[in-house]
Amino acid sequence: MSRVYNFSAGPAVLPEEVLKEAADEMMDYRGCGMSVMEMSHRSKVYDDIIKDAEKDLRDLLNIPDNYKVLFLQGGASQQFAAIPMNLMKNKKAGYIVTGQWAKKAFAEAKMYGEAVELASSADKTFSYIPDCSNLAITDDMDYVYICENNTIYGTKYKTLPNTKGKDLVSDVSSCFLSEPMDVTKYGIVYGGVQKNIGPAGMVIDIIREDLITDDVLPGTPTMLKFKTQADNDSLYNTPPCYNIYICGKVFKWLKNMGGLEVMKQRNEEKAAVLYNFLDESKLFKGTVVKEDRSLMNVPFVTGDADLDAKFVAESKAAGLENLKGHRTVGGMRASIYNAMPKAGVEKLVEFMADFEKKNLK
Ligand SMILES: *Cc1c(COP(=O)(O)O)cnc(C)c1O
C-alpha cells in the first residue's frame, strides 16, 4: 500500500486512522456479522451510530440545545434551494457574493424571491472579503447569506458581517470543524462533508429551532422541508447511512486529537509553513490579500501558465496529488484540511523550493 499526499479540494483527504477502522469493520461491524452499509437504518445498532455522531458533533462545536443537527442528502448545493424555500417568509434576502459557491447560492435564491446582492468581491476576482460592517440590509430581509470559506479562491471571513439583527446563514463546507465557532451567532450553519469531514453526498445543517416551521414556500418538497427532517431526526427516509458512520468516526478522531482549539492551532501552523514560503518566494505568489487568507485552501501561481502546468505534472510525479487550481482560476491550489499532516505541507514546500531553484530565470 502506498498513499500520496492528497491536496484535493474535495472529495478530500481523510484521517488514515478512520479509513483503517472502517476497513477493519467492513465485513463485520462489531459482531453484527454485516457491514454498516448492509444494516437497517432502523436497527438499534445503527441508531447508536447516528446518535453518537450527533452527540460528538454537538460536543465539538458546543451546539446549544435550541439548535437542531440534521444529516441530509443532496450535498451543500441542495441547500442553495432549501434555505430560501424554508426561510423566505417575506421573499427577500441579502447575499454577499465572495466566489463561485456564494454566486450559485445567490442565483438559486433568485428563483424563490428577491435576492439582493449586499456586497461582492467580483471586481478583483474574489481575492478578498468585502467590508461587511455597514451593509444595506433592510428590515424586510429574511436572512443574510455568506459563504464563510471560499474553497476556490482561498479567502475566509475573519469577522462575521454585521447583519443588523437579521439571521445569518453560512455555508461552511470547506472550513467545517477546522477551528471552533460560535454557533449562536448563526441562524443556520451548514456544510457539505466531503471537504473536511467525510464522504461526498451529505450535508450537515445546524439550524436554530425557531427557523424550523411549517411556514415554507408553496411547493417546497417534503424532503426539503427542514421540519420534516427535524421531526424525524434525519430519518424521514433512508439517510446516507455509511456517510454518517464515517463522519461519526471523524468526530471521534477530532475529539481524540484534543478538539477544535487544538485543530485550529495545528491548522495555523500548517498554513504558516506554506504562506511563509509564498511570501518569500521569487517564483510563486499567493493570489489573495493577506488579511483574508484561508487556513484550508491556498491558491498560488507562478504567473506563467506553462510553468504552472509543469509544476502540477512534476509535483504529481513526486507524490503530491491534486495541486491543479480550479478550472475557473488556473494556477495551483493546495487544500490542507484537518487530515493533511504537517509533513505533507513541509514536503510540498520543499518541492516548491526545489522547483523554484530549477525554474527561476
Ligand atoms: C464544495 C462546496 C459546495 C458544493 O458542495 P456539493 O456537496 O458538491 O453540493 C458548496 N459550498 C462550498 C463552500 C463548497 O466548498
Side-chain angles (χ1 to χ4, degrees):
M1 187 199 66
S2 128
R3 305 243 323 149
V4 296
Y5 285 120
N6 178 9
F7 294 93
S8 171
V13 57
L14 288 170
E16 287 192 358
E17 294 92 321
V18 167
L19 297 177
K20 277 187 195 138
E21 250 185 66
D24 287 345
E25 293 172 348
M26 182 61 76
M27 301 302 283
D28 177 5
Y29 178 74
R30 301 185 186 176
C32 293
M34 63 179 91
S35 163
V36 172
M37 248 182 269
E38 303 171 296
M39 65 179 56
S40 166
H41 57 295
R42 309 281 176 201
S43 63
K44 169 78 177 80
V45 180
Y46 193 75
D47 197 54
D48 287 345
I49 291 174
I50 191 169
K51 291 230 164 73
D52 269 8
E54 176 172 344
K55 186 188 170 297
D56 287 332
L57 179 63
R58 284 185 176 275
D59 289 349
L60 283 167
L61 281 171
N62 272 317
I63 302 175
D65 287 344
N66 65 326
Y67 282 75
K68 283 273 187 206
V69 171
L70 302 178
F71 300 114
L72 306 172
Q73 301 181 40
S77 302
Q78 183 72 281
Q79 297 304 306
F80 297 169
I83 287 158
M85 286 180 141
N86 281 272
L87 260 47
M88 270 194 175
K89 322 283 178 200
N90 290 323
K91 293 206 166 197
K92 190 168 174 184
Y95 278 71
I96 302 169
V97 180
T98 51
Q100 299 284 350
W101 296 116
K103 215 160 113 179
K104 280 192 175 171
F106 177 49
E108 191 80 9
K110 280 182 183 166
M111 301 190 352
Y112 304 102
E114 189 188 345
V116 178
E117 186 181 274
L118 293 170
S120 167
S121 50
D123 59 335
K124 291 182 181 158
T125 38
F126 301 117
S127 58
Y128 67 103
I129 299 291
D131 176 8
C132 298
S133 57
N134 187 20
L135 301 167
I137 294 164
T138 52
D139 231 22
D140 54 351
M141 285 184 180
D142 293 303
Y143 59 90
V144 172
Y145 183 100
I146 61 169
C147 177
E148 200 158 327
N149 185 80
N150 296 280
T151 324
I152 296 171
Y153 297 94
T155 58
K156 177 166 193 282
Y157 285 80
K158 300 297 158 79
T159 43
L160 293 175
N162 173 5
T163 63
K164 303 186 176 171
K166 297 295 167 194
D167 288 319
L168 181 63
V169 174
S170 179
D171 175 356
V172 297
S173 295
S174 48
C175 59
F176 224 169
L177 306 181
S178 63
E179 56 184 294
M181 73 190 299
D182 181 356
V183 171
T184 65
K185 294 207 167 109
Y186 304 82
I188 299 180
V189 179
Y190 80 98
V193 300
Q194 76 275 27
K195 307 294 158 66
N196 210 12
I197 305 179
M202 188 171 101
V203 59
I204 299 175
D205 277 35
I206 303 167
I207 312 179
R208 211 179 58 233
E209 263 168 6
D210 60 283
L211 297 175
I212 303 174
T213 68
D214 276 316
D215 180 19
V216 298
L217 295 187
T220 300
T222 310
M223 282 281 291
L224 292 193
K225 234 172 103 172
F226 293 147
K227 188 144 195 319
T228 308
Q229 303 289 356
D231 285 352
N232 291 283
D233 296 321
S234 306
L235 290 158
Y236 169 72
N237 69 330
T238 321
C241 302
Y242 199 77
N243 295 38
I244 294 169
Y245 156 78
I246 297 291
C247 290
K249 287 200 180 297
V250 172
F251 301 152
K252 288 236 188 292
W253 177 78
L254 288 167
K255 284 175 104 173
N256 286 338
M257 294 291 284
L260 300 190
E261 279 297 346
V262 173
M263 292 316 294
K264 178 185 162 82
Q265 207 185 328
R266 279 172 55 102
N267 287 327
E268 281 171 350
E269 282 169 22
K270 241 161 51 184
V273 172
L274 186 46
Y275 283 126
N276 289 344
F277 174 80
L278 287 172
D279 289 343
E280 298 294 315
S281 172
K282 293 195 173 56
L283 182 65
F284 299 100
K285 68 173 199 304
T287 55
V288 308
V289 304
K290 280 189 189 179
E291 311 84 78
D292 301 328
R293 282 170 163 175
S294 165
L295 290 180
M296 297 283 101
N297 311 99
V298 185
F300 56 94
V301 293
T302 64
D304 172 344
D306 293 337
L307 203 53
D308 287 351
K310 187 178 176 203
F311 178 86
V312 171
E314 289 183 8
S315 58
K316 185 177 163 68
L320 305 165
E321 288 264 358
N322 290 317
L323 283 163
K324 193 172 191 298
H326 190 268
R327 59 195 144 80
T328 59
V329 192
M332 283 73 72
R333 171 180 49 175
S335 294
I336 49 175
Y337 297 119
N338 282 338
M340 171 60 64
K342 193 174 176 196
V345 181
E346 285 166 348
K347 176 138 189 236
L348 169 62
V349 164
E350 221 173 275
F351 179 84
M352 289 168 79
D354 189 51
F355 187 89
E356 177 165 335
K357 233 180 268 161
K358 288 178 183 148
N359 292 279
L360 193 64
K361 288 178 193 97

